Amino acid sequence: MSIRLSLLALATAALGVLPETCAETDPFAILFGEEEGLDASAGDMAGADDVRFVGMRVGGLKLKAQLTAYEREEGLSIVAKDMIETLNAPITLTPDGATGWYMRPEDSFTLSFTDQTYQDRDLAPISITDEVFETPDGWCALSQVWSKIFPAEFSYNPFTLTVNMEPFETLPFILRLEREAEREKLKSRERSDGPNYRHIETPYAWVRFPTADFTVNLNASSSGDMKLDGNVEVAGDLLLTTAHIRSAKTDSGDRVFRASFDRVFKTPEKSLAPRQFRLGDVSGLYQPLIRRSDGGRGLRITNAAAYAADVFDVTEIRGPLRHGWEAELHRDGQLIAFTTEPDPQGDYVFPDVEILPGRNRYIVKLFGPYGETEQREVLLFAGRDMIPENEVRYDLALLEEGVGLAGDTIDEPQGASAALAVSYGLSRQASVQLDLAASEADGASGAASLFVARGNTDGVLRLGVAGADHPAVESGVAHVFEDNSNLNIRYTYRPEGMPSDDTRHSLRADYSSSLPITRWGLPLRTSARWQRTANEEDPLSLSGRVNGNGKGWRWNNSAELTHQTLTSDDNKTDFSGEFVASRRQAGMRVRVGATYEMLPEARIRSVDLTLQRQMQRRNFAQLNATYDMQTGAAVFNGTYGGQIGSVTVSANGRIDGSGSWTAGLRLSTALYFDRTRRRYRTAESGLTRSGAVQLNVYDDLDDDGVFSQNDRPISDASFIVEQSIRAERTDQNGSVVMNGITSHRPVNVELSLGSLDDPFLQPIEAGLGLTVRPGQVISADVPLTLSGDVETTVMLINDKTRMPVAGVVVEAVNAKGRVVGSGLSEYDGYVYIEGLPVGDLTLRVAKEALEKADGIADEIKVSLTRDEPSAFGSTIEIVVKSKMQTEDMLTNVE
């Protein structure tokens, strides 16, 4: 843009568009003098001095496109080529006019520039004289012409150089912009998965300072009994394992000692190398049909993951994608992937699509260039007990059952035992499992299982032998209906001689659905079970539960009908249930309930009332009163729970109508070693059972990345862990400990910026990536710095043309080469990037934009400091290597 045109635009924005006057009062005449063709009148061709580069707003959206327009006495006339391209209309433009349609193909039109007529479908042409004009950039049309083509009203603000478009109905390109906004959110979520997060390594050590949980229990009663006891549990790295040591009292008053040593290995998926190892007090291997799961001292090895996998398997979804079309993949109404380009075979391809256990319903939505839409449904099903195709999974347990590591008796000693389970995925629809077991008490046994899945149904068939005359049998089928209702039926037969209870036959059916009652429906769960025992007694039970809400109340009703045929020919039938309703009232949760009986006689057994008050720091108090309608006995209970500093307090009391009472007090806390302060500190209990992280938040005033006396701790800051905002907040020292972190699983942690009192502070690093083990407390610093902002302008240079360009991504890169911010250029090339850390930064055009322009651009160096946190006035020039059309760079992005 020439200096003359720049001043012209500036004067227009500052003074507005004035009516034609004499040279003494015309602002353009004052600036440039009088010329022929200036502010052309009706019928005259617009001149260079009439040109305006304007932006467009559609409803609440601000488009990044730049429109060329001319100001005339009749109003603003927009170049047809720019308007049609900006609104992405299937309209053919010729030197004499335009033909095409918008919104619907049947709404076709013909616009003649030479005849100055407009014809809608087969209707007679109407005159648009003095509404279309010829300019150096091609034909232009006033807003009333565009309102005939596009279902919207147009207005122009000369002070902001903006055209406002108010649509009468949702336009295709608005839907496209909304889709692009959702895609940007998806990209943001993918970026938040931590590719730029600092990863904290946590290797096993020979020895580390351990973590300990302490619990003290005090119980008293009206009979004069008083008991005081305590438990302690210690966990930490020892001999390249995680050691767990626990000392506690049993209900009988005996003190027990338990210890185990665990190790989780980082092995590739589908590898036969072990992924978990445990030595010491371990639990036995559960094997359906052939044996129970008993614990004892020994070892256990498996190549299964240390945590339950969320994803069963991955697959690829593909289909034909026509030229100019785009495809999106949705699951449960949420966008999870998209593609705008077909592969070499002309297909859309979504690789590595996750298959979750159970029913997976994916929707592929296809969008044409002019608002056309299509969609297809993809259904995938994975059995809940299956494993992925070609994967081998094993679990081996060798132990002395019933005996602890210290030699004490856990349960009835069973002697030495060995158990092995091996599974193999035949395909995505089938897998098999072999179970083998041998013990001194029960001898040898084995079972073979087949798991299959097809459509929305999965099933299992299992045969087991343990020296009996007949094999044990288990079969089951589960089906998910189109309305997401579930039906699960399972039958089991165990002959005499199997190591189990005395049940011979067992048949159970479970069904869950939602009754089409009320606006939201009523969730319903039902279950039917029949058994035949060794003495041929046949208990039959039918149970159901339904719940709902209305007028602030949430309610639940559970009922069960049981019928038992006894060998004494004395049958027994019972029908009983429980009704509960609750609501929040005046800051309290009120709960009322009743248990009732319909058979053998109709009566109310008991009623109860509960009041619960939630307080700060997750503290709560609760009062409960229960009245037995049969005996007339009343019982009152009171409970308090919460935090007092780092001590978790739980107190309870009970008194009945006779005056008998009991009371209990439980205090628990934890100790961990603070590696930042090099000393032990207390924290909330539970550190030995799961992972934890300690974060120290401070304003890094000396910008050295290390906490010192010159820095200021930040209190009351919270964090986002595993995509959830944690309740814990930093103390006056800027420190917080968060436990309950999922163990052995990669976790991302980032600061919740909304919890900071100063909106201009931000973390130097986007977040942290870590993997914790039970009993491990990872310490990390979170330095903050003052945020800054930059402004720049993107110009496109092609031959002798120099003009602003819209839709270009500009990135801000820190000294470590990490992208710390980005922005998009608007219609006038303006880019604003905020929330940048102070320090030396580099502004650069994103690689994709340079490739699209086939150009090069120099980087801009800026330096932000606490005294000068803003940088303005720079210009980034994209020099085009080969001749190109400027409009190739103009895209709608917001």
Side-chain angles (χ1 to χ4, degrees):
M1 184 189 298
S2 67
I3 297 177
R4 180 182 177 88
L5 290 180
S6 299
L7 292 174
L8 175 63
L10 178 62
T12 304
L15 301 176
V17 179
L18 303 179
E20 185 177 5
T21 60
C22 63
E24 288 77 8
T25 59
D26 187 344
F28 300 103
I30 295 174
L31 290 172
F32 311 124
E34 295 186 78
E35 292 185 18
E36 291 186 6
L38 189 66
D39 290 331
S41 59
D44 295 332
M45 176 180 286
D49 290 316
D50 300 305
V51 70
R52 306 288 183 267
F53 294 109
V54 298
M56 176 177 283
R57 298 188 69 93
V58 181
L61 298 172
K62 182 179 181 181
L63 305 188
K64 294 298 183 180
Q66 174 182 274
L67 302 177
T68 305
Y70 288 81
E71 284 195 11
R72 304 179 57 85
E73 288 183 347
E74 299 85 353
L76 188 73
S77 182
I78 303 174
V79 173
K81 182 173 179 293
D82 285 10
M83 178 67 86
I84 291 170
E85 289 180 350
T86 297
L87 299 185
N88 194 28
I91 299 173
T92 302
L93 190 64
T94 67
D96 298 329
T99 59
W101 55 272
Y102 198 66
M103 297 294 293
R104 289 163 287 273
E106 58 269 21
D107 296 337
S108 59
F109 72 92
T110 300
L111 176 64
S112 175
F113 295 138
T114 54
D115 297 339
Q116 294 194 333
T117 58
Y118 174 83
Q119 184 175 5
D120 191 359
R121 289 186 293 185
D122 298 329
L123 301 178
I126 60 175
S127 174
I128 53 172
T129 303
D130 297 333
E131 295 181 8
V132 293
F133 310 96
E134 189 175 6
T135 72
D137 292 288
W139 285 92
C140 293
L142 295 176
S143 60
Q144 52 264 39
V145 176
W146 299 120
S147 293
K148 296 180 183 358
I149 299 174
F150 304 106
E153 180 180 352
F154 294 84
S155 61
Y156 173 56
N157 187 333
F159 297 98
T160 60
L161 294 176
T162 304
V163 174
N164 296 301
M165 179 182 181
E166 292 297 333
F168 305 137
E169 54 184 303
T170 304
L171 305 181
F173 87 95
I174 293 181
L175 295 176
R176 175 173 59 81
L177 294 178
E178 292 175 350
R179 293 198 303 270
E180 290 177 353
E182 288 299 316
R183 295 173 186 178
E184 286 298 320
K185 292 180 182 178
L186 175 63
K187 291 179 181 178
S188 176
R189 289 196 299 268
E190 291 174 346
R191 287 193 296 266
S192 68
D193 286 341
N196 291 325
Y197 288 6
R198 176 166 64 92
H199 186 73
I200 300 177
E201 297 292 338
T202 55
Y204 285 90
W206 287 99
V207 63
R208 274 203 180 104
F209 289 101
T211 298
D213 278 319
F214 300 94
T215 303
V216 176
N217 296 299
L218 175 63
N219 296 284
S221 65
S222 56
S223 62
D225 294 336
M226 181 172 292
K227 294 181 180 180
L228 177 65
D229 59 60
N231 302 327
V232 60
E233 186 168 357
V234 179
D237 283 8
L238 181 64
L239 303 178
L240 302 180
T241 68
T242 298
H244 294 261
I245 302 173
R246 181 170 182 262
S247 176
K249 273 191 176 182
T250 64
D251 294 337
S252 61
D254 298 329
R255 181 160 293 279
V256 296
F257 173 85
R258 298 287 179 263
S260 64
F261 303 86
D262 304 340
R263 177 69 186 257
V264 175
F265 301 93
K266 294 182 179 180
T267 57
E269 294 184 5
K270 299 186 178 182
S271 170
L272 294 179
R275 302 178 72 175
Q276 295 185 73
F277 170 86
R278 172 171 288 188
L279 177 68
D281 289 299
V282 301
S283 60
L285 179 60
Y286 172 68
Q287 296 174 294
L289 281 184
I290 61 175
R291 66 179 287 107
R292 298 181 298 269
S293 177
D294 294 326
R297 57 186 179 187
L299 64 86
R300 189 166 174 179
I301 303 173
T302 178
N303 71 334
Y307 59 91
D310 296 330
V311 180
F312 168 78
D313 201 1
V314 295
T315 189
E316 177 183 270
I317 295 179
R318 66 163 55 233
L321 185 64
R322 283 169 281 181
H323 178 71
W325 285 61
E326 301 175 348
E328 291 184 349
L329 185 63
H330 293 254
R331 180 179 61 211
D332 299 329
Q334 183 178 15
L335 174 68
I336 62 173
F338 68 91
T339 180
T340 58
E341 297 291 339
D343 72 346
Q345 286 74 41
D347 291 343
Y348 61 81
V349 180
F350 297 112
D352 299 329
V353 177
E354 297 178 346
I355 302 177
L356 307 180
R359 182 171 181 258
N360 296 261
R361 180 174 180 265
Y362 288 95
I363 299 295
V364 178
K365 296 183 179 181
L366 304 173
F367 302 97
Y370 305 120
E372 307 95 323
T373 61
E374 296 178 8
Q375 74 175 37
R376 62 180 288 239
E377 183 181 60
V378 180
L379 294 177
L380 303 170
F381 194 82
R384 281 156 287 191
D385 297 318
M386 298 172 59
I387 65 172
E389 183 177 2
N390 296 327
E391 183 171 326
V392 177
R393 191 173 297 168
Y394 64 84
D395 199 339
L396 172 66
L398 302 173
L399 64 156
E400 184 179 1
E401 295 181 313
V403 180
L405 184 63
D408 57 314
T409 300
I410 302 175
D411 200 351
E412 182 180 351
Q414 301 292 319
S417 69
L420 174 66
V422 180
S423 304
Y424 177 69
L426 298 173
S427 67
R428 191 179 300 151
Q429 288 77 37
S431 62
V432 293
Q433 178 174 319
L434 178 65
D435 288 278
L436 300 174
S439 69
E440 293 183 20
D442 299 322
S445 58
S449 308
L450 172 65
F451 304 95
V452 295
R454 186 175 181 83
N456 293 341
T457 305
D458 68 308
V460 58
L461 176 62
R462 179 179 289 116
L463 301 177
V465 294
D469 294 335
H470 302 284
V473 177
E474 183 178 20
S475 61
V477 61
H479 182 77
V480 181
F481 297 91
E482 291 302 319
D483 62 353
N484 286 326
S485 299
N486 290 267
L487 176 63
N488 192 342
I489 302 175
R490 187 157 296 226
Y491 168 77
T492 305
Y493 165 71
R494 291 184 178 92
E496 186 176 356
M498 295 295 292
S500 182
D501 55 30
D502 61 353
T503 301
R504 295 292 173 260
H505 299 273
S506 176
L507 176 64
R508 177 165 183 161
D510 297 283
Y511 177 73
S512 64
S513 182
S514 179
L515 298 177
I517 302 175
T518 76
R519 176 181 175 183
W520 302 276
L522 294 179
L524 170 69
R525 288 178 173 83
T526 60
S527 177
R529 183 171 183 175
W530 169 81
Q531 290 181 328
R532 168 160 287 186
T533 61
N535 57 7
E536 297 186 351
E537 293 183 347
D538 299 335
L540 171 67
S541 66
L542 298 173
S543 62
R545 185 179 72 183
V546 62
N547 58 275
N549 59 74
K551 295 184 178 180
W553 286 93
R554 299 175 62 88
W555 58 268
N556 174 82
N557 185 71
S558 302
E560 182 177 21
L561 172 66
T562 62
H563 177 79
Q564 189 170 8
T565 303
L566 304 177
T567 55
S568 60
D569 293 332
D570 186 13
N571 298 338
K572 183 178 180 181
T573 302
D574 293 287
F575 183 23
S576 58
E578 181 182 16
F579 178 82
V580 175
S582 65
R583 69 172 298 165
R584 293 199 173 275
Q585 185 74 33
M588 301 183 66
R589 182 174 179 267
V590 181
R591 177 188 180 275
V592 293
T595 61
Y596 59 87
E597 181 181 290
M598 301 300 294
L599 292 175
E601 62 177 300
R603 60 180 179 176
I604 297 177
R605 292 178 176 175
S606 65
V607 294
D608 66 86
L609 171 66
T610 302
L611 303 175
Q612 186 182 83
R613 178 81 177 188
Q614 205 74 27
M615 295 172 285
Q616 294 181 348
R617 292 182 60 83
R618 294 172 290 170
N619 294 2
F620 74 94
Q622 178 176 297
L623 294 175
N624 172 261
T626 302
Y627 181 72
D628 191 317
M629 303 287 288
Q630 309 306 311
T631 64
V635 178
F636 299 90
N637 293 278
T639 304
Y640 168 79
Q643 291 293 132
I644 300 178
S646 58
V647 178
T648 303
V649 180
S650 176
N652 63 84
R654 178 183 183 275
I655 185 171
D656 58 27
S658 65
S660 299
W661 59 269
T662 60
L665 177 65
R666 178 187 177 96
L667 305 176
S668 58
T669 189
L671 279 177
Y672 75 98
F673 187 75
D674 185 344
R675 290 173 175 79
T676 303
R677 295 168 176 81
R678 306 299 300 174
R679 60 182 175 87
Y680 268 97
R681 298 179 63 189
T682 59
E684 294 184 24
S685 61
L687 293 184
T688 60
R689 300 297 180 90
S690 63
V693 58
Q694 180 205 8
L695 300 174
N696 306 300
V697 186
Y698 60 92
D699 187 0
D700 191 15
L701 297 175
D702 52 12
D703 295 325
D704 61 355
V706 178
F707 181 73
S708 62
Q709 294 181 350
N710 297 325
D711 299 325
R712 179 173 64 91
I714 302 296
S715 61
D716 208 34
S718 62
F719 285 83
I720 301 174
V721 181
E722 297 182 282
Q723 299 181 348
S724 298
I725 297 179
R726 297 287 299 238
E728 301 91 337
R729 291 180 174 263
T730 54
D731 57 21
Q732 67 274 13
N733 297 316
S735 180
V736 63
V737 176
M738 296 177 290
N739 60 10
I741 308 295
T742 304
S743 302
H744 303 296
R745 184 174 189 169
V747 172
N748 291 327
V749 179
E750 60 181 278
L751 181 67
S752 175
L753 298 180
S755 65
L756 300 178
D757 293 335
D758 188 345
F760 296 102
L761 285 177
Q762 72 165 31
I764 295 176
E765 297 176 315
L768 302 172
L770 47 90
T771 302
V772 295
R773 298 187 290 275
Q776 184 181 44
V777 180
I778 296 178
S779 297
D781 287 344
V782 182
L784 308 182
T785 186
L786 188 68
S787 62
D789 54 358
V790 298
E791 293 180 0
T792 188
T793 302
V794 182
M795 305 296 292
L796 187 69
I797 299 177
N798 182 12
D799 296 335
K800 297 182 180 180
T801 303
R802 186 175 187 271
M803 66 176 299
V805 61
V808 174
V809 178
V810 176
E811 299 173 334
V813 183
N814 65 8
K816 297 180 179 179
R818 181 177 299 167
V819 177
V820 293
S822 63
L824 286 161
S825 62
E826 300 189 17
Y827 69 93
D828 55 357
Y830 174 79
V831 180
Y832 176 64
I833 309 174
E834 61 180 340
L836 299 174
V838 297
D840 295 330
L841 301 174
T842 299
L843 304 181
R844 69 185 185 191
V845 175
K847 181 180 178 181
E848 294 80 3
L850 292 178
E851 291 177 348
K852 183 177 180 180
D854 189 24
I856 58 175
D858 292 335
E859 297 178 343
I860 304 295
K861 303 291 184 181
V862 297
S863 182
L864 306 181
T865 65
R866 288 181 176 268
D867 295 330
E868 295 291 340
S870 301
F872 310 112
S874 64
T875 300
I876 300 178
E877 297 180 344
I878 301 177
V879 180
V880 179
K881 300 177 185 178
S882 58
K883 188 175 181 180
M884 61 168 288
Q885 297 296 321
T886 302
E887 57 267 19
D888 289 344
M889 292 292 294
L890 304 178
T891 56
N892 295 321
V893 294
E894 182 174 280

